[in-house]
Amino acid sequence: MSPAPSRSDRDRAQRAWCLYDAANSAFATSILAAILPTYFAAVASRSMPAHLATAWWGYANSAAMLGAAVLGPVLGAIADRRGLRKRILFVCVVSGSLATAALAIVPHGQWQVLLMLFAGGFLAFAVGNVFYDSLLGTVASDGELHRVSARGFAYGYIGGGILLALNLAWIMMPARFGFRDADAASRASFVSVAVWWVLLSLPLLRRVPEPAVAAQGDAPRGHWYEAFGQVANTLAGLRRQPELLRFLIAFWLYSDGIGTIVKMATVYGAEVGIGRNDLIGALLLVQVLAAPASILFGRFAAPLGPQRSIAIGLAGYVGITALGFFMRSPIHFWMIAVLVALFQGGTQALSRSIFASLVPPARAGEMFGFYSISEKFAGIVGPLMFGLVAQATGTGRWAVLTLLPFFAVGGWLLLTVDLERGRARVAHTRVPDAHA
């Protein structure tokens, strides 16, 4: 049994863990949400109507999320058995960064290659987040989960916002920064995301301890078929954890809406005629406002409870969806950005910490794989529905309305979860870890 870490060591580990949110948020902001969608829309529009570019972007998001949904829990089970969470996270960082940097050398007009590289980078990003999230219980005690999770999102918004601001300056004023034009600046921004992702991941890999491996008895370890079997057993066992299962279903529903808005906002905005500078500038505003909003949501969790706090955020997303349907001018997109900034980080941070409180720490890698399944399958359905409706109707406007039921039903189901009963169940099954 390892000695308990000192308070200073735990603080450093928490800062390093939070810093990874700043590392991967560069991909989330510049690649997933802001620069690449508008860049892709411009490239694809040379060979297809705008609404088809919107549809193809949705399909690529769905394909990447499907891959992550399949790989996440299986790799999580293997990582739990062999103590490989940080190593697999490192592989995801390197492979995702290489795919992101390769976007810079795709020839003009090759929108299919752009989509394939994006999907590969997104797959690595999404799978890596399974192992990043699973380390939350390693750096934070039960009483710290909500605060540290919200702090991680705040780091992410600040870090992603800093790089996005720099990338935006390059694109808007390319000559001042030595670039030939905005196209060259956009390509340079892809490389900057890759470098940023790698460098800011190093503190986590150095300072966050690998969780202890739970005893496996005489069972062989590390084989893929065993991991699949463990995943199947865990899936069947969710029926004996009704609070956890109910939360996962609720999260799947409302995460569908949140994730689809993040992925489709800029490409839909480009379709309805919002200019590139307004699109990227509004998303930069999200990064600036969302950091304090995430911290504020973390503080709401104490007096209001995490479920009610999330429900407030989901009510805000209903308003965002309605405004998106009626969006006609840049000011509407800026208004949506402000509302997203207020609600996005807090709802995601509290969802992550609720889940962490409902799973045994020794199985966090595998269980966060199931958390990832909920999120990733939501990422499949939402963009896919968006793309299908946009293609069928000739506009993304009607596709926006498909998100409303997910917020309403997901929020209602979340409020029916008995967190105290779920936490009591975890307390009875807790396995001592390395810091016990």
Side-chain angles (χ1 to χ4, degrees):
M1 183 177 297
S2 304
S6 67
R7 180 69 255 181
S8 60
D9 288 341
R10 202 165 185 85
D11 287 343
R12 283 193 289 269
Q14 288 179 0
R15 286 194 295 271
W17 182 86
C18 290
L19 196 59
Y20 183 79
D21 222 316
N24 70 7
S25 288
F27 184 92
T29 54
S30 292
I31 304 301
L32 184 58
I35 296 174
L36 184 59
T38 56
Y39 183 85
F40 170 76
V43 171
S45 64
R46 299 169 188 167
S47 57
M48 70 178 71
H51 72 277
L52 286 182
T54 300
W56 275 107
W57 184 254
Y59 299 153
N61 275 274
S62 294
M65 291 302 245
L66 177 60
V70 172
L71 287 176
V74 175
L75 290 176
I78 291 174
D80 284 346
R81 284 171 172 266
R82 304 198 64 182
L84 296 175
R85 294 187 206 174
K86 289 172 59 179
R87 293 185 188 180
I88 296 177
L89 176 58
F90 174 73
V91 171
C92 290
V93 170
V94 172
S95 58
S97 298
L98 289 175
T100 302
L103 292 167
I105 58 174
V106 176
H108 285 288
Q110 297 295 318
W111 61 270
Q112 299 95 333
V113 179
L114 278 178
L115 277 186
M116 287 189 292
L117 287 173
F118 162 71
F122 192 11
L123 176 63
F125 166 82
V127 172
N129 280 348
V130 172
F131 299 97
Y132 166 60
D133 290 342
S134 74
L135 293 170
L136 173 58
T138 303
V139 300
S141 63
D142 289 348
E144 299 173 318
L145 287 174
H146 297 313
R147 178 180 60 80
V148 175
S149 183
R151 183 178 162 197
F153 271 93
Y155 273 50
Y157 284 117
I158 293 171
I162 289 172
L163 188 61
L164 179 59
L166 179 61
N167 293 158
L168 179 60
W170 291 353
I171 293 168
M172 295 180 66
M173 301 175 289
R176 180 169 296 184
F177 292 92
F179 297 110
R180 181 183 68 256
D181 51 25
D183 179 84
S186 296
R187 291 171 180 269
S189 71
F190 303 149
V191 177
S192 72
V193 168
V195 174
W196 182 277
W197 192 356
V198 170
L199 291 181
L200 295 189
S201 299
L202 298 179
L204 180 148
L205 298 171
R206 179 184 176 190
R207 296 193 178 278
V208 174
E210 180 71 41
V213 178
Q216 300 295 324
D218 296 329
R221 298 165 55 191
H223 299 293
W224 280 90
Y225 71 89
E226 293 161 1
F228 275 108
Q230 181 63 41
V231 169
N233 290 337
T234 301
L235 183 60
L238 287 176
R239 292 177 297 178
R240 298 189 296 273
Q241 303 177 68
E243 296 81 16
L244 179 59
L245 179 58
R246 186 179 292 264
F247 171 77
L248 281 172
I249 295 172
F251 178 73
W252 180 83
L253 289 166
Y254 67 74
S255 181
D256 189 327
I258 294 174
T260 303
I261 287 175
V262 171
K263 299 177 187 74
M264 304 303 297
T266 49
V267 72
Y268 169 60
E271 177 193 327
V272 300
I274 310 299
R276 181 184 62 188
N277 289 347
D278 283 306
L279 292 172
I280 300 179
L283 291 171
L284 177 60
L285 178 65
V286 171
Q287 302 304 117
V288 173
L289 296 180
S294 297
I295 294 173
L296 188 61
F297 252 87
R299 293 179 179 176
F300 279 162
L304 296 179
Q307 291 160 288
R308 291 190 182 92
S309 299
I310 294 173
I312 291 172
L314 298 181
Y317 269 103
V318 171
I320 290 168
T321 304
L323 185 57
F325 176 76
F326 291 105
M327 183 169 65
R328 292 290 191 283
S329 65
I331 188 62
H332 295 148
F333 194 82
W334 285 89
M335 292 168 63
I336 290 172
V338 171
L339 292 174
V340 168
L342 293 178
F343 301 120
Q344 179 177 303
T347 55
Q348 292 174 318
L350 293 181
S351 298
R352 178 170 61 186
S353 55
I354 286 176
F355 184 80
S357 71
L358 293 175
V359 301
R363 297 174 62 197
E366 177 188 351
M367 296 307 294
F368 266 100
F370 277 98
Y371 182 80
S372 173
I373 277 187
S374 298
E375 187 176 21
K376 303 309 178 287
F377 270 113
I380 296 166
V381 175
L384 180 60
M385 288 179 60
F386 203 104
L388 290 173
V389 174
Q391 188 170 5
T393 62
T395 175
R397 192 173 302 280
W398 291 105
V400 172
L401 297 182
T402 63
L403 306 179
L404 286 174
F406 294 96
F407 294 128
V409 179
W412 169 80
L413 192 59
L414 173 70
L415 292 174
T416 68
V417 177
D418 189 334
L419 291 183
E420 291 305 317
R421 183 185 300 172
R423 290 165 180 159
R425 186 183 297 272
V426 171
H428 286 110
T429 60
R430 186 177 294 273
V431 178
D433 62 22
H435 304 319

